[in-house]
Amino acid sequence: MCIRDSPGAIDAQGRLQLALRVWRPEHPGPYAYGVWDGPIEVGNIGYLERQEMRRTLLPAAPLVFIYLAVGLYHLFIAWRNPKMRVFAWFGWFSLLLAVYTFESSQWRFHLELPWIVHKKLELVSLYLMPFLFTVILLRVTRTRPHPALQLMLLLFPLYALAILVVPGIDIHFLTLPSFQMLGAFWIVTVAGLMALQAWRGNREARVIVGLLVLTAAAIINHLFLPTRVIGGVVVLQAAFALVILWVAVVMANRYTGMFQNLEQQVAKRTADLRQTNRDLEKALAARSQFLANMSHELRTPMNAILGLTGLSLKTDLSEQQRDYLTTVDRSAQGLMGIIESILDFSDLQSGKMELAAEPFSLRALLEQQGAMAGPAASEKGLDFHCEVADDVPDWLLGDARRLGQLLAIFISNGIKFTDAGAVTLSVTSLGAKDTAARLRFDTSDTGPGIAEDQRAALYDGFFQADESHTRE
């Protein structure tokens, strides 16, 4: 036994002579705890605590900060990427390791907490770490757990739960001896499983095996051998820290590899999209060219029809013949408008659609619409009426052709879905200001109408309230 002098415990001559007798019971029982060999220091409690804190500054303090940084970093990654659960497991494990490293050193007394709270924090973190570390290793190395390892994974959380639930200090000393035996068996099992994976060619497992063997040797030396062969707690902490850092490096490499793979996939899909866009542009250009050529080809016979019809109307005709030819002329003009719309379609896609601003007679346009709709209405036994309010101006400046196209669509739909009665087109004025007039065009019929729940989608692309040709 060695007695060291310290301030506050010396006599007037500067020395303190003590005679101490320390003995160990022959049968200490399960609650025996403490150091039974080594030097004993006597002195001022504050001085001794500060001295012990300085002595344990290395490696405890750096390891605590390293574990905290690693844990928070991996939890942040898991928060940004919820699917990467192994990063969350590793983050919590690192935080528990930081708690255990702090609570197993004299630095814990900087926190003004009851001693029992410190002890429970130390043991709960100790009992949960093997469970988390095993889950991490199995996922990092893609290893299936052994049945014995699965049983141990169930026991470790039960140890931690017992510490949390059972009050008092006795549960600590009851669980710690069996946990030490279980922990030694656990690390040997994990090392053997990793060795098997390394033998099968698992690159991540090869480095972990060597570090785990060193950690297992340090644990066995610390727990079961009376003398230090490869070192004490410092070697154990350093070996385990190397294991943690290596796992962090493996996970970081995997995380980087995942992002590189994603970047490659994004680059490939971007290239595919660009090629697809180029193909679509070529297809659109070909279609526009086809529509333009087709509309020009259709114009030639339509111009002939319009020209000959116009010439025929200038000859001597009976009233019935003139009526027939007038209807043909107006219908041909409407069809020519449709042909012109084919060209407008490509202009609309390219953003070059422009509305004409030409003077036209509104009433003449409405008469033309009535002449085109009259035969279809008469065939179904319907009446077609066109009502124009007195305050509606006749001569307007605008695009008569496109206005006629819109009116033709509404009128034809009314005739199409009406079996009996009449279809009416009405025009009213909403007011005029300076040279601008606001007009309202309404079509009404005696058909079944459109259901209330279908009206909201009436102007959606290619929408039809009833897919059949007639509504019942």
Side-chain angles (χ1 to χ4, degrees), residues 147-216:
L149 197 58
Q150 289 180 326
L151 177 61
M152 285 185 282
L153 291 180
L154 295 176
L155 293 177
F156 289 129
L158 293 178
Y159 273 90
L161 182 63
I163 295 296
L164 289 174
V165 173
V166 179
I169 192 64
D170 292 346
I171 187 65
H172 300 182
F173 303 127
L174 286 174
T175 57
L176 190 57
S178 59
F179 173 79
Q180 291 174 339
M181 299 294 296
L182 181 64
F185 182 66
W186 162 77
I187 198 168
V188 171
T189 304
V190 172
L193 194 59
M194 291 297 103
L196 180 61
Q197 290 297 107
W199 181 73
R200 292 176 177 175
N202 192 313
R203 186 175 59 182
E204 289 87 356
R206 292 174 182 174
V207 178
I208 293 176
V209 167
L211 297 175
L212 286 179
V213 169
L214 178 62
T215 306

Side-chain angles (χ1 to χ4, degrees), residues 148-324:
L149 197 58
Q150 289 180 326
L151 177 61
M152 285 185 282
L153 291 180
L154 295 176
L155 293 177
F156 289 129
L158 293 178
Y159 273 90
L161 182 63
I163 295 296
L164 289 174
V165 173
V166 179
I169 192 64
D170 292 346
I171 187 65
H172 300 182
F173 303 127
L174 286 174
T175 57
L176 190 57
S178 59
F179 173 79
Q180 291 174 339
M181 299 294 296
L182 181 64
F185 182 66
W186 162 77
I187 198 168
V188 171
T189 304
V190 172
L193 194 59
M194 291 297 103
L196 180 61
Q197 290 297 107
W199 181 73
R200 292 176 177 175
N202 192 313
R203 186 175 59 182
E204 289 87 356
R206 292 174 182 174
V207 178
I208 293 176
V209 167
L211 297 175
L212 286 179
V213 169
L214 178 62
T215 306
I219 291 177
I220 295 172
N221 182 192
H222 179 67
L223 294 178
F224 303 109
L225 300 180
T227 59
R228 296 180 179 178
V229 178
I230 62 170
V233 178
V234 174
V235 175
L236 176 61
Q237 292 177 334
F240 204 65
L242 290 175
V243 174
I244 301 305
L245 291 177
W246 173 251
V247 174
V249 169
V250 171
M251 295 179 64
N253 290 336
R254 182 168 298 178
Y255 187 64
T256 304
M258 291 175 58
F259 269 102
Q260 291 176 348
N261 186 34
L262 287 175
E263 290 178 354
Q264 293 175 356
Q265 292 180 2
V266 170
K268 183 178 181 301
R269 291 181 180 179
T270 302
D272 293 341
L273 286 175
R274 288 175 179 172
Q275 183 61 39
T276 302
N277 287 335
R278 286 193 290 267
D279 295 341
L280 287 175
E281 289 174 357
K282 293 180 181 178
L284 289 174
R287 185 184 64 175
S288 299
Q289 186 63 36
F290 169 76
L291 292 175
N293 293 338
M294 184 183 68
S295 62
H296 286 297
E297 293 296 331
L298 291 175
R299 267 205 199 99
T300 302
M302 286 305 303
N303 286 328
I305 293 173
L306 288 171
L308 292 175
T309 304
L311 292 175
S312 299
L313 289 172
K314 294 178 180 180
T315 62
D316 295 332
L317 300 172
S318 65
E319 189 66 28
Q320 186 178 21
Q321 290 174 335
R322 184 171 298 279
D323 183 58
Y324 288 164

Side-chain angles (χ1 to χ4, degrees), residues 106-124:
Q106 294 295 322
W107 287 85
R108 61 183 171 181
F109 295 111
H110 279 293
L111 295 179
E112 297 295 334
L113 296 175
W115 182 83
I116 187 68
V117 175
H118 283 294
K119 206 62 185 175
K120 284 186 177 293
L121 287 174
E122 177 186 351
L123 292 183
V124 167

